[in-house]
Amino acid sequence: MSMTHANLHLFPYRTILRAGILAASAVFIASIIFLAPQAAEAAGNTYYVATTGSDANLGTSTTAPWKTFAYAIPQLNPGDTLILRDGTYNGSNSGFPAINCAVNAKNGTASLPITLKAENERQAFLSGNGAVQVVTMANCAYWTFDGL
């Protein structure tokens, strides 16, 4: 058997092998396109609260923040962030964050927690007199407190 004859004899197997590789590649590419993980859920909204705000405001900017935690907390959804503007929060100006996910608040999720965050670290003071707790939370999951 000559070399030319041997190469001709293997030609159909090479063609089948190439076709198999192409088919496997097409399946792989299709799985990337059609089975790729869905895009992550969009992040939530950012809201603001300030001792000088108003609950009649939209709460969506530093110039139109909400005033009270009693109003702000029920507005928050998974992925949302509530920014506490600099200032001293007490029972007489904005109240305190009393968060109960069975009554007045929602739970966050593992991928979309609800966040309460100081606009500037340690510049939003929750000032109590010892008679009441300044932050309470019950029946909630996936809430984050940052910079308070």
Side-chain angles (χ1 to χ4, degrees):
M1 194 184 279
S2 70
M3 288 296 268
T4 307
H5 188 328
N7 288 340
L8 288 176
H9 182 64
L10 294 176
F11 179 75
Y13 298 110
R14 288 184 188 161
T15 302
I16 292 170
L17 182 60
R18 286 183 188 148
I21 291 172
L22 289 174
S25 297
V27 169
F28 176 73
I29 290 170
S31 69
I32 291 173
I33 293 170
F34 297 110
L35 300 178
Q38 297 298 314
E41 294 181 53
N45 297 310
T46 299
Y47 298 103
Y48 297 85
V49 66
T51 60
T52 58
S54 168
D55 290 341
N57 289 339
L58 293 177
T60 55
S61 72
T62 58
T63 58
W66 293 322
K67 182 175 181 69
T68 66
F69 291 105
Y71 181 81
I73 297 298
Q75 310 306 316
L76 302 176
N77 292 299
D80 287 350
T81 298
L82 180 63
I83 305 285
L84 282 67
R85 304 282 329 263
D86 294 352
T88 301
Y89 297 81
N90 58 47
S92 62
N93 62 19
S94 290
F96 297 117
I99 306 161
N100 186 335
C101 293
V103 177
N104 70 336
K106 299 171 189 79
N107 286 303
T109 67
S111 60
L112 295 170
I114 296 173
T115 302
L116 268 64
K117 180 178 181 178
E119 182 176 44
N120 294 294
E121 189 169 345
R122 294 197 233 176
Q123 297 303 307
F125 299 103
L126 299 173
S127 178
N129 61 10
V132 296
Q133 295 177 333
V134 295
V135 176
T136 59
M137 177 175 276
N139 307 305
C140 294
Y142 300 107
W143 279 71
T144 302
F145 295 85
D146 186 6
L148 299 175

